[in-house]
Amino acid sequence: MADEVKIDSQTFHGRLSTLTQAWKTDRRSGDALFGGVGSFIVLLGKNEESANYQKSNAMHYWLLGYEFPATLMVFTPDALTIVTTTKKAKHLEPLKGGKTPVEVLSRAKDPAVNAKQFEKCLDLIKSSGKKVGVLAKDTPSGPFAEEWKKAFGDIFKDIEEVDIAPALSLAALSVKDETELRNMRDSARASTGIMTEFFVEEMSEVLDEEKKVTHKQLSDKIDRKLDDPKFFQNLKSKLAADFDTQQLDWIYGPVVQSGGSYDLKLSAQPDENNLHAGTIIAGLGLRYKSYSSMVARTYLVDPNDAQESSYKLLLSVHEAIIKEAREGVAVKDLYNKAISVIKSSKKPDLEKHFLKTVGGGIGLETRDAVLAINAKNTRVLKDGMTLYISTGFTDIENRQAQDKKSKTYSLLVTDTIRIRRDQDPAVFTNGAASDTGSVCFFFKDEEEEAKPKKESKKDPKVGAVAASNITKTKLRGERPGQVDEGAEARRREHQKVLAQKKQQEGLATYSEAVGDGEGVAQKKFKKFESYKRDNQFPPKVKDLAIVVDEKASTIVLPIMGRPVPFHVQTVKNASKSDEGEYAFLRINFLSPGQGVGRKDDQPFEDPTAHFVRSLTFRSRDHERMELIAEQITNLRKNAVRREQEKKELEDVVEQDKLVEVRSRKPTRLENIFVRPALDGKRISGELEIHQNGLRYVDHRNNKIDVLFSNVKHLFFQPCTHELIVIIHVHLKNPIMIGKKKAKDVQFYREATDMQFDETGNRKRKHRYGDEEEFEQEQEERRRRAQLDKHFKAFAEAIQTAAKDEGWGVDIPFRELGFNGVPNRSNVFMQPTADCLVQLTEPPFTVITLEDIEVAHLERVQFGLKNFDMVFVFKDYHRPPVHINTIPVESLEPVKEWLDSINIAYSEGPLNLNWSTIMKTIIADPHQFFVDGGWSFLAAESDDEDDEEEEEESAFEMSESELAVSEESSEDDSDFDDDASEDEGSAVSEESGGEDWDELEKKAKKKDRETGLEDEDSGRKRKR
């Protein structure tokens, strides 16, 4: 473990410099913060397991990134002295030589040497002044700490101790940098993920099925979820790709409380009482890479009006505190704002139930009391500070209690926020919704709604013509496929619910907190290095000539008598032109703000910097100038090509090694082909199942390894209605097969027996009629069934071998399939339990249903034979997928399928410009959902429906009008018969011309000319 310790020297010196600078500034302005200390001590004793960090632990993590037990730090405004053991001192040695001098004293086995080291520290403290800063509330223990306390006691009478904890909080720990904010955001996402995607589901199941589960059991179940890395990988609130679940730890809870007994302190523990269907409070907090976050929510089961109004008041108080939290605001103003909201509400009597402290600082420490949010704290908030806001009412009397346990209840809402300058704070835990629609559960209302409602009777005479005579298709064969109005109404209601849910999720996910300053990776100015030392220059630069160094990808140009290197990535282009006896070489450079295109998005590192746009060189040597221009152009092309290859392969991961089965022969499937093919050649091979993955080996001993940990989906497609039987693997990350990357690997065998010879079968001499053909069909069916059985068993064996990975065998539902064009060719798309796939023809299509945000059906209008379908993904940076030219006969089945898997869909008559739409969404997702989100897609289909209803209503008639129309229709029918006869006669008269005899003579003449008549007569003679 010791070998893995690597301290970031740059971060250490940067933070140490920030601390000492704040200290010096405070001394010049009156010692208001540090209390006039000349030095201060941070002592860490032996390592102790605790959920809460002491200030000394926090300082170690803040400066070093690690805890160094049995270590003494003595700070002065100009230096830092560290006393620690020999092993730890080796890791601290590289910190010497920074802006602030660092001295490391290594402990020895000789007590006398150790005593001298402590004496040196004591002399340093005495020489720095009569006041020394200590962490009064920290309680270090162990032999090292006791030895220091004994030595420090000798000078105790000569100096004055000052508690330095508030100063360290405000000058060092409270304001976070980008790295710290990113860790807190990841911690918050993990916390809200457990709350919303695990606890709420578990709680709902317990309540719905009326299980008897204690608070302790439910809390322990949440606790164990921390050891499930797959859960965090599949969270809807996506975590960073490099998120390490091993660095997660609990700081608060998990605590579940219900049934009238509530403790809203951070030290609360779950009891052995059963979960009660009433007011349920759940709270938890996680630490990631030493940085903490907390979230707590109150869930109300069948609440009465009084409970709902109390919760709404709490929510308004909570939101008022968060909105008030800005840079420059005193902490006490947050509490006073909360009290004023309660007093001005309809329930001012709840002020006595309001918590006395509603939050504090959070980060390396779980609860920093220096920033405790109460009515007395006068400290001022700064940009970059992080707080937890925990508002609550305790022990409210419930006058409409359903049972004894509901007579009193408490309410609590906790969030983790970041203070920002001139704008509302960023709420890190907004992924856990707290609105009444998300936290109130009504089981009794569902039982009442389950009773059938009486449908209103309609007058059958109204709209009789529209209902019976008007059809939407011309052909009778198509009429059974018309829209089922009942199913359509049901779908519409369900789609409204899904659309509303999407809107709420969008507003919760993309709050105003999303931006560049909350821990999101920033774009950096690109830097390129040609040479590290002068001796790496090519020898030709001595001649002060233009040198193109292909090895270093650099052009060395003579400027003012010196060779100046320019990396090829800074060059835009080079051109050569002739004017008289001179040749001119012009080299244009790339620079920020040049506006060369959409790709020119490099930020300015220094706004005041100047950039060279172009350089021009003149020479009489035309050929050399031509050669240099060509060399620069080729060098630039090669650099661009390498950059493109690098970008193309950046998502390719290097898999772990395959662990082969040694104790027995691996399960094997023979005579298998693979797609994409190795080296582009179709060669059969064998597929084997090993301990942690699959291995395909062809007859040339080429291998393809697929690890179970990299598999996202496994499909088995039988050979029913197909020519091949397939086992298809869709990967999480692409792998290299040959020289190309692939995210889909397919193993297949042809279903037809090519070795079966139909013409050489001896049974032909003894069999007549269809008997032989019937036998061949039976054999074909038997062979296909056997092949399907064999492949399916192998796919299930893969699932068994990878049982810990959480995925299984997925089989396409052919009966739900439809034709479409996902790429270039028209193929048969088939849904599965988790995906929509096309596995028969490459390029393959695998769309994970869980990744889909919404679906939109385009070109849905009367008269068109086809429509298109577009899938928009939850990751808005991922381009939408189009499936075009779907037959209109599949429209209703597609709608039914989308609705059944809870995918919100809409439809419209036109094709939309999705690239422009997605750019608009990505630019400001929050504003997109504020403006209505995906409702703009549904608006088009609603307009069409209104038009159809208007058209149908035009056909409605009264009884008298209907009778008149029937009489007139009978008269019209007589007139139509006469008219048809007249039209027929007119046509026959107009078509008068040559009679049949003349036409027959012309045909015979034509046959004689072409020789057909002789052939026919010859055939007659032979007969």
Side-chain angles (χ1 to χ4, degrees):
M1 183 69 184
D3 296 335
E4 298 176 4
V5 175
K6 188 176 181 181
I7 300 172
D8 189 337
S9 178
Q10 186 177 355
T11 301
F12 169 82
H13 283 290
R15 292 179 177 177
L16 180 60
S17 177
T18 301
L19 176 61
T20 55
Q21 192 63 37
W23 190 1
K24 291 176 183 177
T25 303
D26 183 63
R27 294 181 76 174
R28 288 193 295 268
S29 59
D31 293 323
L33 185 60
F34 283 81
V37 300
S39 61
F40 66 86
I41 303 165
V42 175
L43 174 64
L44 192 62
K46 68 178 183 179
N47 195 8
E48 294 179 348
E49 291 294 332
S50 175
N52 298 324
Y53 286 165
Q54 295 182 346
K55 196 73 72 176
S56 53
N57 300 83
M59 285 298 295
H60 272 245
Y61 277 111
W62 187 68
L63 284 172
L64 305 173
Y66 301 91
E67 273 186 347
F68 279 68
T71 299
L72 172 70
M73 292 183 178
V74 179
F75 294 81
T76 64
D78 302 313
L80 169 61
T81 303
I82 303 175
V83 181
T84 188
T85 60
T86 306
K87 288 184 178 179
K88 300 186 188 75
K90 291 179 181 178
H91 299 296
L92 298 172
E93 285 294 330
L95 301 179
K96 294 181 178 179
K99 184 178 179 181
T100 304
V102 177
E103 183 180 6
V104 181
L105 302 177
S106 178
R107 301 271 287 173
K109 293 182 179 180
D110 188 357
V113 175
N114 296 338
K116 286 182 180 180
Q117 291 175 350
F118 279 162
E119 285 179 12
K120 186 176 181 179
C121 293
L122 294 172
D123 292 339
L124 182 62
I125 292 170
K126 287 188 286 186
S127 63
S128 298
K130 292 185 178 181
K131 289 185 177 181
V132 59
V134 296
L135 298 172
K137 294 184 179 179
D138 281 19
T139 55
S141 60
F144 178 85
E146 295 300 325
E147 187 179 344
W148 167 253
K149 289 176 184 177
K150 185 178 179 182
F152 185 68
D154 297 338
I155 64 165
F156 183 74
K157 297 179 181 179
D158 302 330
I159 60 171
E160 178 186 349
E161 290 185 351
V162 177
D163 187 6
I164 203 71
L168 294 183
S169 288
L170 297 173
L173 302 177
S174 61
V175 178
K176 313 294 189 297
D177 59 27
E178 289 301 319
T179 303
E180 294 174 294
L181 290 171
R182 192 174 293 115
N183 290 336
M184 289 198 67
R185 182 176 289 281
D186 286 339
S187 169
R189 284 177 176 168
S191 299
T192 55
I194 290 180
M195 177 68 77
T196 58
E197 298 182 37
F198 182 73
F199 168 73
V200 173
E201 298 296 327
E202 290 293 320
M203 178 189 70
S204 302
E205 184 180 340
V206 171
L207 296 175
D208 198 22
E209 299 180 9
E210 298 182 354
K211 295 180 180 178
K212 291 186 177 180
V213 178
T214 66
H215 299 139
K216 185 73 167 61
Q217 290 172 337
L218 191 54
S219 299
D220 290 344
K221 200 169 185 179
I222 302 171
D223 191 352
R224 290 193 295 271
K225 207 64 185 173
L226 208 62
D227 301 324
D228 184 4
K230 291 178 190 174
F231 170 78
F232 294 98
Q233 292 172 6
N234 298 324
L235 284 179
K236 292 178 182 177
S237 54
K238 294 293 183 183
L239 298 170
D242 58 347
F243 186 82
D244 184 7
T245 55
Q246 296 296 320
Q247 300 202 49
L248 280 175
D249 195 11
W250 293 108
I251 58 157
Y252 164 46
V255 181
V256 181
Q257 305 175 74
S258 68
S261 177
Y262 303 97
D263 182 1
L264 303 189
K265 296 178 182 178
L266 295 180
S267 57
Q269 296 293 326
D271 56 30
E272 296 292 343
N273 295 326
N274 288 335
L275 186 70
H276 176 256
T279 303
I280 301 170
I281 295 179
L284 56 90
L286 287 175
R287 176 185 289 132
Y288 179 67
K289 292 184 177 179
S290 305
Y291 287 87
S292 308
S293 69
M294 274 191 283
V295 61
R297 294 291 181 264
T298 300
Y299 296 95
L300 304 172
V301 182
D302 294 322
N304 54 47
D305 293 341
Q307 288 177 307
E308 269 199 84
S309 61
S310 297
Y311 182 79
K312 287 179 181 177
L313 174 59
L314 178 67
L315 211 56
S316 63
V317 172
H318 187 76
E319 291 170 354
I321 293 175
I322 292 176
K323 198 168 185 179
E324 187 73 12
R326 294 170 179 262
E327 185 179 36
V329 176
V331 174
K332 67 177 184 179
D333 292 343
L334 304 184
Y335 191 86
N336 294 334
K337 179 70 175 179
I339 296 297
S340 66
V341 172
I342 297 172
K343 287 182 176 179
S344 62
S345 70
K346 295 180 180 179
K347 293 190 171 185
D349 55 311
L350 288 179
E351 182 186 350
K352 62 184 178 183
H353 299 280
F354 192 58
L355 296 176
K356 302 301 180 185
T357 300
V358 291
I362 192 170
L364 286 167
E365 295 178 279
T366 305
R367 181 181 179 274
D368 189 352
V370 175
L371 293 175
I373 303 173
N374 53 40
K376 299 178 181 179
N377 195 340
T378 58
R379 293 186 172 89
V380 178
L381 299 176
K382 295 180 181 178
D383 179 26
M385 285 184 172
T386 50
L387 309 173
Y388 75 93
I389 308 296
S390 185
T391 53
F393 294 123
T394 59
D395 300 329
I396 305 173
E397 182 183 356
N398 184 9
R399 296 177 182 176
Q400 303 173 18
Q402 301 170 357
D403 49 46
K404 292 181 180 179
K405 291 185 177 182
S406 301
K407 288 184 177 180
T408 59
Y409 65 95
S410 298
L411 303 172
L412 178 69
V413 178
T414 302
D415 279 304
T416 304
I417 68 169
R418 174 252 167 118
I419 306 300
R420 298 195 291 188
R421 183 181 289 113
D422 300 328
Q423 53 182 319
D424 291 345
V427 183
F428 288 161
T429 50
N430 60 358
S434 57
D435 58 284
T436 52
S438 301
V439 301
C440 294
F441 296 82
F442 297 93
F443 291 98
K444 290 184 178 179
D445 287 357
E446 288 179 5
E447 293 172 4
E448 293 172 3
E449 288 174 5
K451 297 177 182 179
K453 296 181 180 180
K454 293 183 179 180
E455 296 183 358
S456 57
K457 294 182 179 180
K458 293 183 179 179
D459 187 356
K461 298 177 183 178
V462 177
V465 174
S468 61
N469 293 346
I470 305 302
T471 59
K472 293 186 179 180
T473 56
K474 295 179 180 180
L475 303 179
R476 283 173 291 181
E478 295 178 7
R479 288 179 189 168
Q482 289 184 22
V483 179
D484 183 348
E485 297 297 341
E488 181 67 20
R490 175 181 54 77
R491 284 201 300 264
R492 286 195 178 189
E493 288 301 317
H494 187 216
Q495 285 299 311
K496 285 180 182 178
V497 175
L498 292 176
Q500 187 177 3
K501 185 178 179 182
K502 285 291 175 189
Q503 177 70 5
Q504 291 174 354
E505 288 176 357
L507 288 171
T509 304
Y510 299 100
S511 69
E512 292 180 338
V514 179
D516 294 333
E518 288 73 55
V520 179
Q522 302 279 327
K523 286 186 178 179
K524 295 184 179 179
F525 185 85
K526 293 181 180 179
K527 293 184 178 180
F528 304 98
E529 188 175 47
S530 297
Y531 308 105
K532 291 185 178 180
R533 294 179 297 277
D534 292 345
N535 58 9
Q536 293 179 338
F537 276 86
K540 293 181 182 179
V541 299
K542 295 178 180 178
D543 301 333
L544 289 179
I546 300 174
V547 178
V548 180
D549 186 358
E550 295 184 5
K551 186 177 179 181
S553 298
T554 300
I555 300 102
V556 183
L557 303 175
I559 301 175
M560 305 293 288
R562 290 180 176 274
V564 180
F566 291 86
H567 197 277
V568 70
Q569 293 286 5
T570 65
V571 176
K572 182 182 176 184
N573 54 38
S575 61
K576 177 246 181 185
S577 60
D578 298 327
E579 290 184 14
E581 61 178 320
Y582 292 102
F584 291 85
L585 176 67
R586 181 183 175 90
I587 303 175
N588 297 318
F589 297 94
L590 292 168
S591 59
Q594 192 172 355
V596 296
R598 288 177 294 177
K599 295 182 180 178
D600 182 38
D601 57 352
Q602 296 186 93
F604 283 88
E605 189 179 54
D606 180 7
T608 62
H610 294 271
F611 293 88
V612 178
R613 287 283 173 89
S614 65
L615 292 173
T616 305
F617 296 87
R618 188 181 71 173
S619 173
R620 286 191 173 92
D621 191 343
H622 291 257
E623 292 182 0
R624 174 161 170 74
M625 290 289 105
E626 183 73 36
L627 178 63
I628 292 173
E630 186 178 348
Q631 288 177 337
I632 294 174
T633 302
N634 292 336
L635 192 64
R636 176 68 185 157
K637 285 180 181 178
N638 293 335
V640 171
R641 179 177 50 79
R642 286 195 300 270
E643 194 73 19
Q644 289 175 345
E645 290 177 354
K646 183 180 178 182
K647 188 175 182 181
E648 186 181 349
L649 299 177
E650 64 184 2
D651 58 344
V652 176
V653 297
E654 185 176 347
Q655 299 186 113
D656 296 333
K657 290 186 178 180
L658 186 79
V659 181
E660 298 183 38
V661 175
R662 299 291 185 185
S663 58
R664 55 177 175 79
K665 285 186 177 182
T667 307
R668 185 180 286 114
L669 198 59
E670 298 178 346
N671 194 23
I672 298 299
F673 298 94
V674 66
R675 293 194 291 196
L678 284 163
D679 301 326
K681 298 178 180 178
R682 185 175 175 274
I683 304 173
S684 64
E686 296 178 345
L687 182 61
E688 302 172 345
I689 303 176
H690 291 275
Q691 290 186 26
N692 65 334
L694 302 173
R695 169 166 286 175
Y696 174 80
V697 185
D698 67 11
H699 296 320
R700 295 184 178 181
N701 206 29
N702 295 319
K703 297 177 182 178
I704 298 175
D705 291 342
V706 178
L707 297 190
F708 295 144
S709 59
N710 193 29
V711 174
K712 188 174 183 180
H713 299 291
L714 174 68
F715 303 101
F716 160 67
Q717 180 173 296
C719 56
T720 309
H721 304 292
E722 300 288 351
L723 297 176
I724 55 177
V725 59
I726 295 169
I727 291 177
H728 187 97
V729 180
H730 183 66
L731 306 175
K732 297 175 183 175
N733 299 297
I735 61 173
M736 294 301 295
I737 296 181
K739 297 181 180 179
K740 295 183 179 180
K741 71 174 183 178
K743 202 170 183 179
D744 290 273
V745 185
Q746 186 177 103
F747 308 100
Y748 70 97
R749 186 190 295 172
E750 293 180 350
T752 55
D753 191 352
M754 301 301 290
Q755 298 174 354
F756 185 76
D757 186 8
E758 294 183 359
T759 58
N761 194 345
R762 293 180 181 178
K763 294 180 181 179
R764 277 184 180 275
K765 298 178 181 178
H766 310 287
R767 301 286 178 92
Y768 300 95
D770 296 332
E771 190 174 348
E772 182 184 356
E773 187 176 345
F774 176 75
E775 187 176 316
Q776 290 174 5
E777 289 177 0
Q778 289 288 90
E779 178 65 20
E780 178 77 11
R781 289 196 194 95
R782 187 196 62 76
R783 190 166 56 248
R784 282 174 172 267
Q786 187 67 24
L787 200 56
D788 285 344
K789 183 179 178 182
H790 193 37
F791 266 67
K792 186 177 182 182
F794 191 82
E796 289 172 348
I798 296 174
Q799 177 183 344
T800 304
K803 58 185 177 181
D804 297 332
E805 296 297 328
W807 45 260
V809 181
D810 216 352
I811 302 176
F813 302 118
R814 190 174 182 87
E815 60 274 12
L816 298 178
F818 54 90
N819 286 306
V821 183
N823 292 294
R824 290 186 178 181
S825 57
N826 195 318
V827 293
F828 191 66
M829 306 293 300
Q830 301 179 78
T832 70
D834 300 319
C835 302
L836 177 64
V837 300
Q838 185 283 120
L839 309 175
T840 307
E841 296 181 22
F844 308 116
T845 302
V846 178
I847 302 172
T848 305
L849 301 179
E850 191 180 356
D851 296 343
I852 296 173
E853 174 86 354
V854 293
H856 183 62
L857 309 179
E858 299 180 329
R859 296 196 301 128
V860 179
Q861 55 181 306
F862 183 76
L864 294 183
K865 296 181 179 180
N866 302 303
F867 69 96
D868 305 329
M869 180 161 54
V870 182
F871 289 115
V872 181
F873 297 101
K874 294 175 182 176
D875 179 5
Y876 295 150
H877 292 87
R878 184 176 170 187
V881 169
H882 298 250
I883 301 176
N884 301 323
T885 324
I886 304 172
V888 75
E889 291 79 14
S890 301
L891 179 60
E892 292 306 311
V894 166
K895 284 183 181 180
E896 186 64 32
W897 168 66
L898 290 172
D899 190 68
S900 66
I901 57 176
N902 294 328
I903 290 181
Y905 72 83
S906 54
E907 57 184 86
L910 303 173
N911 291 106
L912 302 178
N913 188 342
W914 285 100
S915 59
T916 304
I917 292 172
M918 298 314 296
K919 284 179 184 177
T920 305
I921 297 172
I922 293 168
D924 192 350
H926 171 72
Q927 189 60 42
F928 171 72
F929 282 100
V930 168
D931 294 339
W934 300 108
S935 60
F936 79 96
L937 296 174
E940 297 179 11
S941 58
D942 291 343
D943 293 342
E944 288 179 31
D945 295 336
D946 294 340
E947 290 174 8
E948 287 180 8
E949 289 174 7
E950 289 173 7
E951 290 173 1
E952 288 181 1
S953 64
F955 285 101
E956 295 180 1
M957 299 183 181
S958 65
E959 290 182 23
S960 58
E961 289 174 338
L962 183 60
V964 172
S965 66
E966 288 175 355
E967 292 174 6
S968 62
S969 62
E970 291 175 4
D971 298 337
D972 291 344
S973 62
D974 297 336
F975 176 76
D976 292 340
D977 293 337
D978 297 337
S980 61
E981 290 175 6
D982 294 340
E983 287 172 6
S985 61
V987 171
S988 63
E989 289 172 4
E990 288 175 4
S991 61
E994 296 174 340
D995 60 11
W996 283 106
D997 295 334
E998 292 178 359
L999 290 171
E1000 190 174 356
K1001 287 178 182 178
K1002 283 187 177 183
K1004 284 184 178 181
K1005 184 180 179 182
K1006 192 75 178 267
D1007 291 340
R1008 283 196 297 270
E1009 290 173 358
T1010 55
L1012 292 173
E1013 187 178 11
D1014 296 337
E1015 291 179 7
D1016 293 340
S1017 62
R1019 289 194 190 102
K1020 289 176 183 177
R1021 282 195 294 271
K1022 284 184 180 180
R1023 293 193 188 110

